[in-house]
Structures are given as structure tokens and as C-alpha cells.
Amino acid sequence: MDSTFVVNSYNDGDNIYIGVKDFTRLLNGKLLYDVDRDEYIVKKENLHMKILPESPYYLLNGKIEKIRGDFLRDIDGCLIPVTPNLNRISSIMSKRLVYNKSRNSIDVYNNLYDIMDFDVRKNNDRTVVMFTLSRPVKYKYKKSKNSIKIYFYTKLLNKRPFNKTFRKSLITKVSIYNWKYGKYVVLNVKKGVFIDDVNYSKEAGSLQFVLGGSSSKKYGPMGKGKFTIIIDPGHGGKDSGAIGPNGIMEKTITLRIAKKLQKYLSKDKNFKIYLTRHDDRFVSLKERTKFALKKKANLFVSIHCNASVNRKSKYARGFETYFLSLARTGWERAVAARENASILYESEKEKNNYNTVDYILSDMAQNQSLIESSKLAEAIQNKMAKETNLKDRGVHQAGFYVLRFNYMPAVLVETAFISNSKEEKLLNESWFEDKIAKAIGEGIIDFVKNYEFKIYGRK
Ligand SMILES: [Zn+2]
């Protein structure tokens, strides 16, 4: 997952500097100043760095080293010359520093690599090759008879995951080489292998190649297998969700839309549909996820109404769709906090089950379902824009507990703002709920036809 900090920088015409305070903050370390010796000391676990201002010298774990340029003094302490020392400082911090020319700032990435991970998976008669990226990376590829060459416009590739062996897949060998603009990966493939699909998702941070072999079926429209969909009406019972200015409750609206969506999707006999609740009752977030896993669901959609608690933003309006990951912006965090607040209604024993969430979230970043979830979110968002006249607020990512699955695409739809009296009124109209249900339903069908079946192919 990409996480960027933009730090203030100072440009003296030759070098770009950052303050020692920013440096310490990014390291998550401690800063001390030794007045007698006039030294800055940055400490973190097994890192001990002593900086001598107005000199190029520093001591790293007791060993003296020299930096290009000088440590300058300023009001706030001292400045570190970053641009001529990007690689050295990146390796000291175990983070990657990138100079951003247009903003004259230093961006700090939590990961040392652009291409963090590589994996090959078998799915029925398809082989899925997956690159996990820490930030958007330009690439191109070439297919020849016995190989696929993927050229990345970056050198920062983590070699380790490429050393695995990929038995039983369509790939016979993987190797990495340098080229003018970075690294390229050669996949040697079995005879008759073709590229069925290439998916690049900036949001999910992944690049995926779906390969078919000589004996692979080409998938057309849906087959005969059942595709299990879980519709999750948000909130219920003692947890009423958000309440609009005229007293309409989120839990009522979400249940009505869920039932309409069920009806809409039931027209397609390929779908097996379950609701996590059928009436006004409390269902814990964990029970909802457990239910989906028990049903071996292929897809999960949670339905909600948005709310803005801030008095100033009572006019906030529109629809947005979320998929699971760490929330990136303040707004995404706020929405996640509100929806996750359902946990407050759960018993103490149940609450204790949530401490593994962080782990699951970090694991998700590497996961196939993330890219699928982002595609599903996009498909629903597109249909919502077509079906309704509401404001399109886009696809977002946030850490929703209810979406924490490993192997199915899962999204959360914030249909409209119940906190906005105009949209609250709409949400209470049957014709409007029909439109929303239809939009979500069409989005799901779109996703299943265009994406899901290509990769998994139903039998
Ligand atoms: Zn909600």
C-alpha cells in the first residue's frame, strides 16, 4: 500500500534539505540535542545517529560517515541535505525518499520498492500473474512465442518474491533483467499460452496478467454455475445507523433497498442471493462476515446511507462506493469511523474479536480480492451515475470491518446523504429506492460478466 508523506523542504539552489525534526518524525524516532557538544541525536530501536551541524559528518551507530553537502543550521535545529544523498538517506530510514520537482518537496514512501511483490496463482485452467505495486508504475509488455516480457519504468523491484517456484502453472521460468528505464521481467511460458486479460489498478496497486493455456476454455457469457451474492443491509435493531433531520433512519432505508436489490437480481437464475438480515434486527459486523463465509459467497455488497455530522456540511450530497483498505483521506476515515461504530452496540466478548483487523488489512493489500473489489466498486459507481441524478463522489477506500474477507470482492455503497433533508426525502421514496437497487444490481451484473467470469470461469 502506498503511503506518502510530503515534507517541507528548503532549496538553497544546489541542494534540497529537510529539517531534522521532519526526519525524526518520519523515522518515528526520538530527537535529542546535546547542548555541550552541539550535536543532534536521532534514536530509534537499533539506530543511533549523531549529526554534527555545519559539517558533512555524522556518526551512524558509532561509525563515522560523510554526507555530500553539509548539515546546515536553522532556527528549528538543523537541515539535512537530501537530494545528493537520496539513496543513502532512504536506506538509513528504510523508507524511500523521492524528490518531487513540481512541488519542490520530498515525498517519503513507506516501502523501499515500487514493485513490492510478485505472485502466480492457478485458477481453474487460468494462471494469474500478479505484481503488487507501492505506487503507480508505467509499464509495457511484449508477447512472443514462448515468453512474455514486462518492462517496468522503475528499477525499484524487490527481487525476493521472484525466487519462488511456480509449479503447476503455465509459467516455466521467471527472470529479471535491466533495461534503459528500469527492470524487465521475463516469464517463460508453456506452448500455446495466450494472454487472456491484463488488469492494471492504480487504486489497488496491482498489475495482473491472466494467462490461458492451449487447453483453456474461452469464457463467453455466464455459464450454468451458481454465483452467490450476499446483500448486507447496514445496521438494524438497536443500531439505527444515521438519522436524518426528519427522523428517517438509515437501518429502514438500507433494508428496503436490499430487498429491492434482491428482487432485481433474482431475475437472473445464475445468482443465489442471501440477505444478512430480513427484518429490523441487530446483526453484529462479525456475524455478517461469518454468514458470507459460511455461504461461500462470491460477492458481498453492504448498503448504507451517508451522513455528515458536521453542521456546516449539512448540504453534503451524493453517492460513493468503498472497498476495503486503509483509509487514506480524512473524509474516508470519518466514514469508516461512523460505519464501524456499529461495534459499540456489540457485547464485550464480540468486541474483543476485532483486534486482528489491522493484520487482516495489511494482508489484504497483497490480495487478489482487492483488485476485484475496486473493479466492482467502479462498476456500481458508474451505474449509479447513470441511474440517478445524484452527485458522483467517486470510489474510495477505507477500513470497514464488515468488508474484511479474504477471498471475495466486497464493497460498501453509501447511497445518498440521509443527513441532507433533500436526499433524506428521496431515500424515503419507493421509486427512488427502486432506482438505487437497479443501479447497484446492474453494476454487479456488469462486474460479473466483464470481469469475474473471465478469471474464474463458471463450470
Ligand atoms: Zn451505515
Side-chain angles (χ1 to χ4, degrees):
M1 203 73 328
D2 185 359
S3 130
T4 314
F5 304 85
V6 179
V7 299
N8 292 323
S9 61
Y10 164 70
N11 188 342
D12 76 347
D14 293 323
N15 300 330
I16 311 293
Y17 299 80
I18 64 169
V20 71
K21 277 187 184 166
D22 266 345
F23 178 78
T24 313
R25 185 171 56 87
L26 292 169
L27 262 177
N28 210 358
K30 244 185 166 173
L31 178 66
L32 304 164
Y33 176 61
D34 184 332
V35 188
D36 300 329
R37 290 162 167 255
D38 185 23
E39 291 168 353
Y40 289 92
I41 298 148
V42 182
K43 273 185 7 188
K44 198 207 168 175
E45 286 138 30
N46 41 17
L47 185 140
H48 189 279
M49 191 178 175
K50 228 181 230 183
I51 294 169
L52 315 175
E54 289 174 85
S55 91
Y57 296 106
Y58 64 102
L59 272 115
L60 188 64
N61 295 334
K63 227 181 106 200
I64 193 149
E65 291 191 18
K66 194 177 170 188
I67 207 159
R68 289 167 69 187
D70 282 329
F71 295 106
L72 299 185
R73 206 185 284 281
D74 83 334
I75 325 167
D76 240 11
C78 90
L79 296 169
I80 299 169
V82 179
T83 45
N85 303 290
L86 275 172
N87 289 340
R88 184 67 195 126
I89 293 171
S90 292
S91 87
I92 291 173
M93 295 177 82
S94 291
K95 292 179 188 216
R96 188 156 44 81
L97 275 60
V98 176
Y99 173 54
N100 187 319
K101 213 170 181 179
S102 62
R103 277 184 280 144
N104 186 32
S105 67
I106 307 289
D107 294 348
V108 183
Y109 293 87
N110 266 345
N111 206 291
L112 272 169
Y113 300 104
D114 285 338
I115 299 158
M116 302 191 295
D117 201 7
F118 173 77
D119 202 11
V120 175
R121 265 186 32 192
K122 207 173 168 289
N123 269 315
N124 294 337
D125 56 7
R126 293 291 195 272
T127 289
V128 181
V129 178
M130 172 95 145
F131 297 91
T132 307
L133 315 171
S134 67
R135 69 184 186 101
V137 171
K138 242 178 89 182
Y139 71 95
K140 61 180 185 185
Y141 65 92
K142 248 193 226 158
K143 166 88 175 71
S144 57
K145 207 174 160 199
N146 296 316
S147 71
I148 299 164
K149 287 183 183 140
I150 304 149
Y151 294 83
F152 292 102
Y153 287 76
T154 178
K155 283 185 189 125
L156 301 169
L157 172 146
N158 184 12
K159 282 188 181 163
R160 210 188 291 163
F162 291 84
N163 292 331
K164 291 176 254 179
T165 48
F166 305 103
R167 263 182 232 147
K168 287 185 191 164
S169 75
L170 297 168
I171 292 171
T172 55
K173 197 183 156 200
V174 180
S175 20
I176 303 163
Y177 300 96
N178 292 318
W179 70 298
K180 204 166 125 196
Y181 299 108
K183 302 261 190 217
Y184 71 96
V185 175
V186 179
L187 309 172
N188 289 93
V189 293
K190 290 184 181 158
K191 217 178 134 192
V193 166
F194 61 94
I195 299 176
D196 192 28
D197 204 2
V198 180
N199 289 293
Y200 173 72
S201 167
K202 213 162 89 179
E203 283 79 22
S206 61
L207 170 66
Q208 185 187 66
F209 289 79
V210 182
L211 309 180
S214 51
S215 61
S216 297
K217 291 181 224 73
K218 303 254 182 192
Y219 299 115
M222 269 190 243
K224 279 181 192 150
K226 288 277 185 200
F227 190 87
T228 304
I229 297 173
I230 307 287
I231 303 171
D232 175 47
H235 314 277
K238 59 189 172 183
D239 169 19
S240 49
I243 301 174
N246 299 303
I248 307 292
M249 292 179 183
E250 182 183 354
K251 65 173 182 179
T252 318
I253 308 291
T254 59
L255 183 61
R256 289 208 299 248
I257 295 174
K259 286 186 174 169
K260 284 173 189 279
L261 175 60
Q262 178 182 31
K263 210 174 144 197
Y264 184 84
L265 288 171
S266 299
K267 282 186 251 166
D268 191 323
K269 297 288 170 253
N270 289 301
F271 295 141
K272 215 182 198 173
I273 302 152
Y274 297 98
L275 263 64
T276 53
R277 66 178 176 98
H278 293 88
D279 49 23
D280 182 18
R281 74 175 66 201
F282 178 76
V283 183
S284 77
L285 298 177
K286 187 154 189 246
E287 282 175 88
R288 292 169 200 254
T289 64
K290 254 172 112 177
F291 178 75
L293 292 171
K294 208 177 92 195
K295 295 291 177 203
K296 297 197 168 60
N298 300 100
L299 189 153
F300 182 95
V301 55
S302 192
I303 296 168
H304 290 259
C305 306
N306 222 331
S308 177
V309 280
N310 193 333
R311 214 191 299 157
K312 263 192 212 154
S313 45
K314 67 178 173 187
Y315 300 112
R317 61 194 175 89
F319 58 93
E320 52 197 18
T321 307
Y322 283 82
F323 64 99
L324 179 74
S325 104
L326 295 168
R328 290 179 176 189
T329 66
W331 171 253
E332 288 170 349
R333 273 198 295 276
V335 173
R338 185 165 45 73
E339 300 297 6
N340 290 337
S342 294
I343 290 169
L344 298 175
Y345 296 94
E346 298 179 10
S347 67
E348 283 306 315
K349 199 176 153 235
E350 274 177 316
K351 277 180 202 168
N352 288 333
N353 289 323
Y354 290 103
N355 47 20
T356 50
V357 162
D358 280 342
Y359 166 72
I360 292 165
L361 282 177
S362 61
D363 200 35
M364 277 290 293
Q366 315 266 337
N367 206 289
Q368 164 70 15
S369 62
L370 196 61
I371 181 168
E372 291 175 51
S373 298
S374 78
K375 297 273 176 191
L376 173 61
E378 269 168 44
I380 291 175
Q381 195 66 16
N382 285 342
K383 293 292 178 184
M384 288 280 282
K386 267 192 198 144
E387 272 315 304
T388 71
N389 289 321
L390 301 178
K391 185 182 168 194
D392 184 347
R393 299 171 62 97
V395 168
H396 300 271
Q397 308 180 43
F400 294 110
Y401 296 120
V402 77
L403 299 183
R404 56 194 196 114
F405 304 111
N406 267 318
Y407 300 111
M408 77 190 78
V411 296
L412 187 147
V413 185
E414 294 281 0
T415 49
F417 276 78
I418 203 166
S419 55
N420 173 322
S421 59
K422 262 191 193 164
E423 293 196 350
E424 178 193 26
K425 227 170 147 185
L426 281 174
L427 282 167
N428 205 24
E429 299 277 354
S430 185
W431 63 266
F432 184 76
E433 290 164 355
D434 282 333
K435 268 181 178 290
I436 299 226
K438 188 181 172 212
I440 299 173
E442 285 193 338
I444 289 173
I445 292 170
D446 223 39
F447 166 78
V448 172
K449 287 201 169 151
N450 289 327
Y451 188 76
E452 194 68 2
F453 278 82
K454 253 191 207 160
I455 293 180
Y456 294 108
R458 320 298 305 171
K459 275 175 201 143

